[in-house]
Amino acid sequence: MQSKGWIRLVAILLAIASIWQLSFTAVTTIQEKKAEKFAEKAAVAAQNSADFAKVAIEDQAYYLDSIRKDCNRVYIDSISNRKVFLWNTYKECKTKEINLGLDLKGGMNVMLQVQLQDLVKALAGNNADPAFLKALSLAKERSVNSREDFITLFADAWKEVSGGQRLAKIFGTYEMKDRIKAESTDAEVIAVIREEAESAVANSFNVLRNRIDRFGVTQPSIQKLGNSGRILVELPGVKEPERVRKLLQGTASLEFWETFTNQEVAVYLAEANSKLAEILADGEEEVAVEEPAADSSAAESVADTLLNAELASQETSKELEAYRKANPLFAVLTPSQTGDACIGFAAAIDTAKVNKYLKMPQIAEIFPAEFRAMWTVHPSERLAADNIYELVAIKSTSKTGKAKLDGGVVTDARTVYENGQNGEPSVSMSMNAEGANIWARMTGDNVGKQIAIVLDGMVYSYPMVNGAITGGNSSITGHFTPEEANDLVNVLKSGKLPAPATIIQEQVVGPSLGARSIQAGMISFIIAFVLVLLYMIFFYKGAGVAADLALLCNVLLLFGVLVSFGAVLTLPGIAGLVLTMGMAVDANVIIYERIKEELAAGKGLSKAVADGYKNAYSAIIDGQVTTLLTGIVLFIFGSGPVQGFATTLIIGIITSVLTSIFITRLYFESRIAKGKKISFESNLTKNFLKNTSFDFIKARKVTYIVSGALILISLVSIFTKGFTYGVDFTGGRTYVVRFDQPVTAEQVREAAIAEFDGAVEVKQFGGESQMKITTQYKNDEESSEVDAEVEAKLYNALIPFFEDKDMTIDQFKSTLDNPNGIISSDKVGPTIANDIKRDAIIAVILALFVIFAYIAVRFKGWTWGLGGVVSLAHTALIVIGFFSLFSGILPFNLDVDQTFIAAILTIIGYAINDNVVIFDRIREYRLMHPNADLKENTNLALNATLTRTVNTSVSTLVTMLAIAIFGGESIRGLAVALILGICIGTYASIFIGTPVMYDATIRSKAKAADKAKSSKK
């Protein structure tokens, strides 16, 4: 092998890079273990305190649990910006660790749809024109089954119903007069509407992003999905799904406030600081409450005490401790001397404590009644330190306590540059007549002072007023970057563009279920990994050790690449990893079988190894490329966990090929150079399937009949019984509920049907105390009120089945604090359900077409592609029929959903490997024996590759069996589908795909010969 030194160097560098990437996960795990120990220490201290005796006995466990959680949070917050690993802070390490999906760590996944129908109505001034309303209705109706965006659908609908009326008449409002004229064409109006729609979606994205950043979850994720108007939000570890729904679906509040200067507030701050020192010295900070278990202040107090003691011994001096006692407010809020509306600076971790101090009744009464304090949305640029925010003094001068001016008056906003595109950007905004008058008075009364622009209670900017601004036009400057200016434009326009976002898909996974999933996933992964290692040593002895070494390197590289790309590891992703391991040995099996053939031909070890690798390359590359293509299709058309599965599959294929070829080759050549022997078989496997001479082509008539019968049974079941569809395909709401005692599905079903007054599907999900409940109740309504109504009905129906009859509805809905009740939930609206079904069908058809095209081109004949596709279609159809026939009979989930489609596509990608290896050997024999009969070459190839086919199938099968047995209920259906696919696919590649290719080739040649004879005549 050429360039061994370079290959060895690259392998070492890749291994080091992977270890470096994975080290961040190790560091965060260590720090989180320390946080748990710190929290447990706090719980013990709280249990031994005098306050613990005041807690009711039935609340003591909950109280201690609250102490642990709050103290854990305090500890993590304290180290968030401290360097814990070389030059990296804990927060930075956290962003670089393995990114686990919600099914592994719990949390909430939400897809929101910006309601552009409401936006279009608002842009038209809520015009009641019948044609306009009909066009809106048609567009909304068609959006359920169309991939086009809403604006395009509206434009098409308007052409149908307008009767020649121009859109300019509908949208020629006062607010739009500068952009839409009476003579504007429909195309021009649609262009304006589309621009406003894109701006509305961008604004919704910015509002949601800022809300999420302040929500307090670790590693939140938010992304826009193309031009669909959809926004995907992932919130790991979220505690209150109902609060999240309200937060994400609420309307943004834009306000303009007058401000105090810090000189005007300084005296009050000093007095508040002194008063607070007195209060804390007297021990009056904590206010007595009736239910101490529900109050986290005690937990924070314990945490602060322990944390301060720990930090004091390491980092802080006695003088600093004394200053903190004498100046508790100024210890967390540094007073500002800037002379403007900023009254102080605080680290992000301290902002909550500042808010707490300022809201204390004894402190709040010190300040003027019109005083408010709001934080800036972005860290301060005035200080060199990172993550420091400014506290702005707001003046509420209206009698109602509301802002004098809000975002409802803004008609337009845009980014402008002082000196062309290279100048500093500013933001220009326009207001309606009412807003212009108020703005003129407001700015005239505040010349030389600042006005704060506030969105959702956070200050975006507080520019200085240089003079009264009349006409409703003004400019906002603030050393913006172009991106920040564009963001502020979108924020300012939110008042004008009411485009509410509704949840069309939602998944909630409780942390207890996530912890079980991690445990089940890791157990199945380890067992599968060990089984593959043992199998390779058992079958190939010394060469098996090389394969195992390559497999270990493969796992290291795979995880390293996953982390470096920021890919999300889900439970189906772990299944993808396990499947990849099984497939990884396929390349080694192909190589080893070729080497054994070369050795049997009398070649020396060195020559046999070189020729074995050379002859195996084409089969390896063709087989892995076809699987890679299906993985890409799966990634493009899948979403959520399915994309996680596809990601690990794609990365695993690439890393497995590299390690299987190069690592094992380096190992072999190293041993050969040292004169050491290498064994490629054990005594037990020495003659396994050796020198077989079975006539597979002759047996095809029998196998056609067997397969035809299986396909007929599958089709009958599909068209008569049908499937049990997952909520992905039907839409609706699904809940996994854990009871505190065994229940039966029939009992739960009867109670749920009575409550929901209709069909409800109930299935056992795991043990006898866990049920999966699906309902289409009010599926077309996607508001948070309906979500709450469904959960209330579910609570009313199921509470009789709990031993704990005192469980409240909040405890029932909680995914964090209560081990029983709703432990996970899924919501899929009808629009997204149709999209998922359509994408699934497209994905399967496209995968088959891509494979057909690749095989036909690679083997230079359409009959080869036909044989491959028929084999795959045969396998997929029987697996689908199995899911139809045995759904509701077997004791595990056989729903047809996104995960099932992922399984079908994976089967298609995996099963084609067998066909490719067989076809590659037939092609080789045809080149070696061009005059031999095709039947003879085909039978020779099938017998020659039989050992490889069986070995690869068995090695993959044992890994999937580990997943099915130990991987947990969530992916058992996926594992069963893959097991069936492996078995049926192996059979089909030998007895269906290859014979079909043979028959098609023979008939094609016969037709060509007949055509040639006819032309001669």
Side-chain angles (χ1 to χ4, degrees), residues 424-463:
E424 186 174 90
S426 61
V427 175
S428 175
M429 64 180 179
S430 303
M431 300 179 183
N432 59 25
E434 179 188 2
N437 291 332
I438 298 174
W439 187 238
R441 291 196 303 270
M442 193 172 176
T443 51
D445 294 341
N446 287 275
V447 175
K449 296 184 179 180
Q450 291 165 298
I451 289 179
I453 300 169
V454 177
L455 180 72
D456 289 340
M458 303 294 287
V459 178
Y460 271 72
S461 176
Y462 51 108

Side-chain angles (χ1 to χ4, degrees), residues 266-483:
V267 63
Y268 303 115
L269 281 176
E271 185 178 348
N273 182 60
S274 300
K275 182 67 174 177
L276 187 59
E278 295 175 12
I279 294 171
L280 296 180
D282 294 338
E284 297 176 4
E285 180 189 1
E286 303 305 328
V287 180
V289 292
E290 294 181 3
E291 297 181 12
D295 184 25
S296 63
S297 59
E300 291 179 0
S301 177
V302 173
D304 288 343
T305 302
L306 290 174
L307 185 62
N308 287 338
E310 187 167 304
L311 293 178
S313 64
Q314 299 175 6
E315 300 177 0
T316 55
S317 65
K318 292 181 180 180
E319 290 80 5
L320 184 55
E321 287 300 307
Y323 178 81
R324 286 180 175 176
K325 290 180 179 179
N327 301 277
L329 179 59
F330 291 159
V332 289
L333 179 71
T334 304
S336 171
Q337 306 296 329
T338 57
D340 59 11
C342 173
I343 60 174
F345 304 89
I349 188 176
D350 293 326
T351 55
K353 183 170 285 189
V354 174
N355 292 340
K356 176 184 174 182
Y357 286 159
L358 294 180
K359 288 178 181 178
M360 293 173 63
Q362 306 97 311
I363 304 301
E365 66 184 11
I366 295 173
F367 293 88
E370 62 269 23
F371 172 79
R372 305 279 191 279
M374 296 183 183
W375 295 100
T376 54
V377 70
H378 299 300
S380 175
E381 295 182 355
R382 306 186 193 192
L383 304 178
D386 294 331
N387 226 17
I388 303 297
Y389 290 80
E390 300 175 9
L391 188 63
V392 180
I394 302 297
K395 181 188 290 186
S396 174
T397 54
S398 66
K399 294 180 180 179
T400 61
K402 296 181 179 179
K404 286 185 177 180
L405 197 64
D406 61 33
V409 303
V410 176
T411 59
D412 194 20
R414 59 189 180 278
T415 303
V416 296
Y417 294 84
E418 294 180 1
N419 301 305
Q421 290 295 319
N422 295 323
E424 186 174 90
S426 61
V427 175
S428 175
M429 64 180 179
S430 303
M431 300 179 183
N432 59 25
E434 179 188 2
N437 291 332
I438 298 174
W439 187 238
R441 291 196 303 270
M442 193 172 176
T443 51
D445 294 341
N446 287 275
V447 175
K449 296 184 179 180
Q450 291 165 298
I451 289 179
I453 300 169
V454 177
L455 180 72
D456 289 340
M458 303 294 287
V459 178
Y460 271 72
S461 176
Y462 51 108
M464 187 71 69
V465 178
N466 298 319
I469 302 174
T470 58
N473 296 314
S474 59
S475 181
I476 304 172
T477 59
H479 304 293
F480 297 119
T481 64
E483 293 77 15

